[in-house]
Amino acid sequence: MKKIFACIALSAPLFSYAFEHGKVYYSFDSENEARVIVVPAEEDNHYYINYRNFNHHYDNQTLLYKQIKNNINEGFYYQLADTARVNLRNELNKTLIHGTLYSYSTVFLDDDSKTKIIYAGDADIVQARNVKEAYHKRQLDVSSKVAAKKLIKSAQENFNSACKQAVNIDIDWNAFVSQELKAAPAKLSSYLGALSKICAIDSDYLEAVNSITQIKVSPAEDTTQQKVTLADNQLTIQIASEQPNLPETSYQAIFTIL
């Protein structure tokens, strides 16, 4: 733990509202040196957050958040884009460490863990780049139709095994190509993964998923907003090429309509 506090900059504000470079934060109240890197995203008030050493499925992954100011005080929190989930809060709390008062924020994860983190320095260019690359990997942003087909094939095989059925998949490749989104169908893999997870919940959800006989896939009108519907045993997925936090939002979209 000593090496963490040796690099803490006393004058740096914790999660300042606007910063050009990414910032690194470490835990001070956990057995592991949990680490968070926060990097500004392309859209105002949006940030990429990368996790490490939380013993959680977010480890080594980057998610996209919107920074929202509290109504009550000057603190703020980060809400996972396109969901109601909040994983990080800055409530202007302070703690005494080795006789010095530090500001800290708290990471809340869905395993009910709470981890306090404190500023430890700016992220370098390589760290910031790696954080963004991790997000695009999680988003299944591939560059070719061949790569997309490989991801879909693997996800379909996993789905067939997990849900004990095969389903007909109809992808409108021409529509994607005409919109210069030839590799975007790769994101179908996330929806198939969501179905596989839902199958494992219980026998009722397994039955609900097994009632789906066809999956029809096309591009969404809005590149940032997916559309998922279920009717007459057909699951229709309109893929948004820029849909935030695809693993979470694809699962949420399907779970809600079953």
Side-chain angles (χ1 to χ4, degrees):
M1 296 299 293
K2 291 182 179 179
K3 66 179 181 180
I4 293 178
F5 296 109
C7 67
I8 292 176
L10 298 180
S11 61
L14 184 66
F15 291 116
S16 58
Y17 285 104
F19 50 84
E20 182 179 358
H21 303 291
K23 293 188 180 294
V24 182
Y25 302 84
Y26 278 99
S27 64
F28 62 90
D29 68 336
S30 60
E31 293 182 3
N32 299 324
E33 289 186 359
R35 184 223 65 188
V36 165
I37 299 180
V38 181
V39 176
E42 294 73 20
E43 186 177 353
D44 288 346
N45 298 320
H46 282 70
Y47 296 84
Y48 298 113
I49 298 182
N50 181 270
Y51 299 85
R52 182 174 294 178
N53 292 335
F54 283 88
N55 293 325
H56 186 269
H57 62 266
Y58 282 175
D59 279 346
N60 302 314
Q61 299 189 57
T62 299
L63 290 79
L64 179 65
Y65 292 81
K66 181 177 182 180
Q67 187 189 76
I68 301 175
K69 186 176 178 180
N70 289 342
N71 293 326
I72 299 175
N73 56 40
E74 293 300 317
F76 53 91
Y77 58 92
Y78 288 88
Q79 182 171 316
L80 191 65
D82 272 22
T83 79
R85 188 179 306 176
V86 174
N87 291 128
L88 199 154
R89 287 185 176 277
N90 173 12
E91 301 291 355
L92 303 181
N93 295 315
K94 295 181 181 294
T95 187
L96 195 65
I97 303 175
H98 301 313
T100 302
L101 198 62
Y102 294 94
S103 298
Y104 70 86
S105 284
T106 307
V107 175
F108 300 86
L109 298 179
D110 55 13
D111 57 0
D112 294 327
S113 65
K114 298 179 182 179
T115 305
K116 297 174 183 177
I117 56 173
I118 196 166
Y119 174 78
D122 289 346
D124 60 35
I125 295 175
V126 174
Q127 284 177 314
R129 183 186 64 203
N130 290 341
V131 164
K132 293 180 180 181
E133 288 179 353
Y135 179 73
H136 290 296
K137 181 179 180 180
R138 196 171 192 265
Q139 290 291 102
L140 304 176
D141 290 333
V142 297
S143 59
S144 72
K145 187 176 179 179
V146 172
K149 286 186 172 182
K150 287 181 178 179
L151 284 176
I152 294 169
K153 180 180 178 182
S154 177
Q156 188 170 6
E157 290 173 351
N158 291 336
F159 167 79
N160 292 346
S161 175
C163 299
K164 299 178 176 59
Q165 73 155 344
V167 64
N168 181 54
I169 298 178
D170 178 16
I171 302 173
D172 191 346
W173 289 99
N174 289 335
F176 284 102
V177 171
S178 67
Q179 295 185 29
E180 299 184 352
L181 298 171
K182 63 181 181 181
K187 297 178 184 294
L188 172 62
S189 303
S190 188
Y191 297 88
L192 292 172
L195 286 166
S196 297
K197 290 179 181 178
I198 292 171
C199 280
I201 295 176
D202 59 32
S203 59
D204 289 337
Y205 279 105
L206 175 60
E207 182 179 353
V209 173
N210 283 341
S211 69
I212 299 171
T213 58
Q214 176 153 316
I215 299 176
K216 188 171 183 179
V217 184
S218 61
E221 293 182 6
D222 183 344
T223 59
T224 64
Q225 191 61 57
Q226 66 188 353
K227 186 175 181 181
V228 182
T229 57
L230 179 62
D232 299 326
N233 300 323
Q234 176 177 288
L235 181 66
T236 300
I237 301 172
Q238 293 181 306
I239 289 177
S241 59
E242 299 175 59
Q243 175 69 44
N245 299 309
L246 190 61
E248 288 73 27
T249 52
S250 60
Y251 182 93
Q252 178 178 280
I254 293 176
F255 184 83
T256 301
I257 63 175
L258 285 177

